[in-house]
Amino acid sequence: MNQPNEPITAGALLDTLNAKGILHDPEEAGKQLAVGSVGEKVPIYLRILTLIGAVIATGFFFLFLAIYGILDEDTLLILGLVFVAAAYGLLIVAKKSNPILHVFVATCSFTILAVSKIMFVIGFVEMFDDLFSLSSRGEIWPATLGVGLATVLTYKLFPFVLDRFISSCYFLGFFIGAVIALPDLDSSVMPVVAAWIMNFFFLAYMICAGFLLLHEKVKKLYDPVAYALICTLLGLAVMQSGLMSDPKLEPVLGFEIWLPNFIAGFGLLYLLSYAVGGFKKQMDSQVIVIAVGVILLAFFTNAGILLSILLMVFGRMNHRPLVSFTGWISVTGFLIYYYYQLDFTLETKSYVLLGSGGLLLGVRLILNALVTRKEQNSCE
């Protein structure tokens, strides 16, 4: 056995454990140790440099194809499929490569996959545009179907989380735009119809995101879709804030423009109720203050602020830092926009700013109290 002053090698450690009968499969343990010793994490700066290099190389490659006339509108769909196959081949090569080469080849695969999807969607639009040209905005439907088809076909085939997220965001956004473009109505009625369509998707996307993030049987594989739903909800909240501040639409839009506020407020109340095991079981001063505060926010702010607070609460209580970070960033933006739109003097706005700062501090304190209460309930 090795002396204390001698270095302990991996082989000596495996031999010692095997001699004591601790290892059930010495050969497999040796393989795993070898993989672990080689598979050290690649520095983040090297990953970034590799990504930049792969993007530049891929761009020059497509420039070469364009110069020689290989890229044609009639062949873009087929080329997109060919490049998807090439990206998958590179992914297989990356899995069998050493860590440094793996990062480079996998990044090339990701870049080629992204470009292949763009080619596929453009080719799909060019090929099927005549079937969907019901109006001047008919191109959005083949684009929506093309993005959806490309997303579904490659979702499980490629393990790139960023690709899944971006593709899902594009499809969700295109789908809303396609539905809004369906009715060919008068310009005075169109804002009302568009507002109701956005309200429907605001509710539907919130329910879907909550299901994907809260349901225990949903796999982590679909987290990118949930995050894409959250980003699309934030985009809808931005559109609602813009519609609320447009003086031209003020006489046209009524209750439908305020509906997202109450949807987000109800979602926030439901989440808080879910966290404490139901308001009936935990009816105290904190719960009453929370409920009153959410109702006041629904009447006097916009859906973006409520949605951002909902994301902060959800991320904090379910240990999802990315969701919580998104909530903190978005609430900052929505608050700045809200202050900018207030028709008050600068002095009054400063008082409102002071009050909202106290409100956010109170939200943080209540979040900590709710997290503690949730952990206590789960231990009982």
Side-chain angles (χ1 to χ4, degrees):
M1 190 171 176
N2 294 16
Q3 297 297 325
N5 57 349
E6 294 180 0
I8 300 177
T9 62
L13 179 61
L14 287 176
D15 292 339
T16 303
L17 295 175
N18 188 31
K20 293 183 177 181
I22 298 176
L23 294 179
H24 299 287
D25 192 348
E27 294 183 2
E28 182 64 23
K31 291 179 182 178
Q32 293 295 330
L33 186 62
V35 171
S37 62
V38 176
E40 296 178 354
K41 289 186 177 180
V42 180
I44 186 65
Y45 72 89
L46 189 58
R47 291 176 180 270
I48 295 173
L49 289 175
T50 306
L51 175 62
I52 295 173
V55 171
I56 294 173
T58 307
F60 274 106
F61 177 67
F62 280 104
L63 182 63
F64 167 79
L65 295 178
I67 291 174
Y68 283 88
I70 300 175
L71 293 179
D72 187 21
E73 292 182 356
D74 299 329
T75 60
L76 278 176
L77 186 65
I78 304 300
L79 278 176
L81 295 174
V82 170
F83 274 78
V84 169
Y88 186 71
L90 286 175
L91 182 63
I92 294 176
V93 172
K95 291 179 180 179
K96 300 178 181 179
S97 307
N98 62 67
I100 303 296
L101 188 60
H102 171 84
V103 173
F104 176 76
V105 178
T107 307
C108 289
S109 174
F110 170 79
T111 308
I112 292 177
L113 175 64
V115 178
S116 68
K117 284 187 174 183
I118 296 173
M119 295 169 61
F120 177 84
V121 172
I122 296 175
F124 193 88
V125 171
E126 294 294 331
M127 182 172 291
F128 298 101
D129 184 30
D130 295 335
L131 297 177
F132 297 93
S133 57
L134 301 176
S135 65
S136 59
R137 295 168 290 180
E139 286 187 358
I140 194 170
W141 270 109
T144 303
L145 294 176
V147 172
L149 188 61
T151 303
V152 170
L153 292 178
T154 60
Y155 195 89
K156 290 187 177 181
L157 196 61
F158 293 87
F160 304 125
V161 176
L162 187 60
D163 169 67
R164 293 169 178 172
F165 168 74
I166 295 175
S167 299
S168 300
C169 280
Y170 270 104
F171 172 73
L172 294 170
F174 269 109
F175 189 61
I176 295 174
V179 174
I180 292 177
L182 271 179
D184 192 8
L185 301 174
D186 186 71
S187 58
S188 60
V189 184
M190 193 61 196
V192 179
V193 177
W196 279 108
I197 291 173
M198 287 191 292
N199 290 340
F200 169 78
F201 279 108
F202 194 88
L203 176 62
Y205 284 3
M206 182 176 289
I207 293 173
C208 291
F211 175 79
L212 291 175
L213 292 172
L214 289 174
H215 203 282
E216 297 178 353
K217 293 185 179 179
V218 177
K219 298 179 180 178
K220 293 286 186 182
L221 177 69
Y222 300 103
D223 275 1
V225 179
Y227 294 137
L229 286 166
I230 290 173
C231 288
T232 311
L233 283 169
L234 291 172
L236 288 172
V238 170
M239 295 176 67
Q240 184 240 11
S241 301
L243 291 175
M244 290 179 70
S245 60
D246 193 341
K248 296 180 180 179
L249 299 176
E250 211 172 302
V252 179
L253 297 174
F255 172 73
E256 60 272 6
I257 197 63
W258 290 94
L259 192 57
N261 288 32
F262 299 104
I263 295 174
F266 178 80
L268 181 56
L269 285 175
Y270 174 80
L271 180 63
L272 294 172
S273 172
Y274 173 84
V276 299
F279 282 155
K280 292 182 179 179
K281 296 181 180 179
Q282 302 287 342
M283 186 59 69
D284 54 16
S285 58
Q286 279 187 347
V287 172
I288 295 173
V289 169
I290 291 172
V292 172
V294 171
I295 293 171
L296 290 175
L297 286 173
F299 276 103
F300 294 104
T301 61
N302 54 50
I305 295 176
L306 284 162
L307 182 62
S308 301
I309 295 174
L310 188 150
L311 294 177
M312 290 189 293
V313 172
F314 177 85
R316 180 72 175 85
M317 299 174 68
N318 292 275
H319 306 289
R320 288 181 179 263
L322 183 58
V323 177
S324 183
F325 176 76
T326 304
W328 283 108
I329 293 296
S330 58
V331 77
T332 304
F334 281 113
L335 281 173
I336 292 172
Y337 182 79
Y338 177 71
Y339 293 134
Y340 179 76
Q341 293 297 325
L342 287 176
D343 192 17
F344 297 148
T345 62
L346 189 60
E347 183 181 1
T348 306
K349 286 185 178 182
S350 65
Y351 292 136
V352 176
L353 182 62
L354 266 176
S356 62
L359 176 65
L360 289 177
L361 287 175
V363 168
R364 184 173 181 82
L365 292 174
I366 292 173
L367 279 179
N368 293 333
L370 289 175
V371 169
T372 304
R373 186 181 298 182
K374 183 183 177 184
E375 292 174 351
Q376 290 175 351
N377 293 339
S378 61
C379 294
E380 291 177 357

